[in-house]
Amino acid sequence: MDTNIDFKNIWKQQTSNKPNIEELLGKLKKFKNENLRKLILTNLLLIATSLGIVFIWYRYQPQLATTKIGIVLVILAMVIFLLAYNKLFMVFYKIDDTQSNSDYLQNLYLVKNKQKFMQTTMLNLYFIMLFLGICLYMYEYASRMTLISGILAYGLTFIWIGINWFYLRPKTIRKQQLKIDVLIDKFEEINNQLKE
């Protein structure tokens, strides 16, 4: 059985109730474009942040090794995250409206698997390295503060990281998973109807 069916033409010939294929392809295109924009924006923001951190290092010349190690950890976290995240670019770029239904599904499954890897392994590594880097970086400056100011500085930083880790990260992951799952479900539904 040929799994590379041109489902757009067959779909147009059906007379039963069916989801609008053009609408579905429009949603797929919107999903692809949104993710490509996020990918580019993430690259720009993390590169700009890394350059800003390098500038701070150069301009203010930290004295302690912990500060320098912290800076290197933060930049390394961003570089590692971007290297892994940019692997999604080609997957999104390959999705176009000339593919068969099985190609769409395969690409969507691939996106889902890569997103899951990014949401678990890479994001965990990123947050751990970022957290350690920030803590080490802050030590030199917090040690010059009063005890209460140092505790407040670290406390606010931990709260900010905690909000990102426990609230924003899971919310973003759920939102991403929902979008890809809806698309996969629709294409699987079409695929199953075509097999009948």
Side-chain angles (χ1 to χ4, degrees):
M1 181 173 173
D2 184 15
T3 58
N4 289 323
I5 302 168
D6 183 7
F7 72 101
K8 284 185 262 180
N9 290 332
I10 295 172
W11 207 253
K12 289 175 186 174
Q13 296 170 8
Q14 288 189 356
T15 56
S16 62
N17 283 340
K18 60 189 180 230
N20 183 343
I21 191 65
E22 296 305 320
E23 183 180 320
L24 184 55
L25 291 173
K27 286 180 183 180
L28 180 65
K29 186 175 182 179
K30 182 180 175 189
F31 174 78
K32 171 189 166 180
N33 291 337
E34 280 177 6
N35 280 284
L36 285 173
R37 274 194 303 274
K38 284 180 191 173
L39 198 124
I40 291 166
L41 183 62
T42 301
N43 272 277
L44 292 173
L45 289 174
L46 290 183
I47 289 169
T49 302
S50 295
L51 291 174
I53 292 169
V54 169
F55 174 76
I56 289 169
W57 185 350
Y58 173 76
R59 177 77 172 96
Y60 295 105
Q61 295 294 313
Q63 302 302 309
L64 296 180
T66 55
T67 309
K68 295 171 186 173
I69 293 169
I71 290 171
V72 169
L73 268 176
V74 168
I75 292 172
L76 193 59
M78 293 180 195
V79 168
I80 290 170
F81 183 81
L82 282 179
L83 288 174
Y85 190 45
N86 285 331
K87 290 182 179 178
L88 277 171
F89 181 79
M90 284 313 293
V91 177
F92 286 120
Y93 190 75
K94 286 191 320 189
I95 298 174
D96 63 33
D97 51 1
T98 62
Q99 296 177 319
S100 68
N101 60 329
S102 68
D103 290 335
Y104 285 129
L105 274 172
Q106 292 299 48
N107 283 328
L108 289 172
Y109 289 140
L110 188 59
V111 167
K112 184 174 180 166
N113 288 336
K114 287 191 180 283
Q115 276 185 344
K116 188 171 185 166
F117 174 73
M118 289 302 300
Q119 294 163 348
T120 55
T121 307
M122 292 313 298
L123 212 49
N124 291 344
L125 179 66
Y126 174 74
F127 266 96
I128 290 167
M129 290 177 72
L130 193 65
F131 176 74
L132 291 173
I134 289 172
C135 288
L136 289 170
Y137 174 80
M138 287 178 58
Y139 176 74
E140 179 174 343
Y141 306 105
S143 66
R144 297 178 188 163
M145 298 176 181
T146 63
L147 180 64
I148 292 175
S149 297
I151 290 170
L152 184 62
Y154 270 101
L156 290 173
T157 302
F158 292 164
I159 289 170
W160 172 75
I161 290 171
I163 289 170
N164 279 283
W165 181 259
F166 294 109
Y167 177 71
L168 295 176
R169 183 183 65 92
K171 185 177 177 181
T172 303
I173 289 170
R174 278 193 303 275
K175 193 174 172 183
Q176 286 177 341
Q177 287 175 339
L178 181 63
K179 284 182 180 181
I180 191 96
D181 286 344
V182 165
L183 279 172
I184 288 172
D185 288 346
K186 293 287 186 188
F187 278 101
E188 282 178 341
E189 180 184 334
I190 290 171
N191 205 26
N192 291 336
Q193 287 179 0
L194 290 173
K195 287 177 182 175
E196 292 174 356

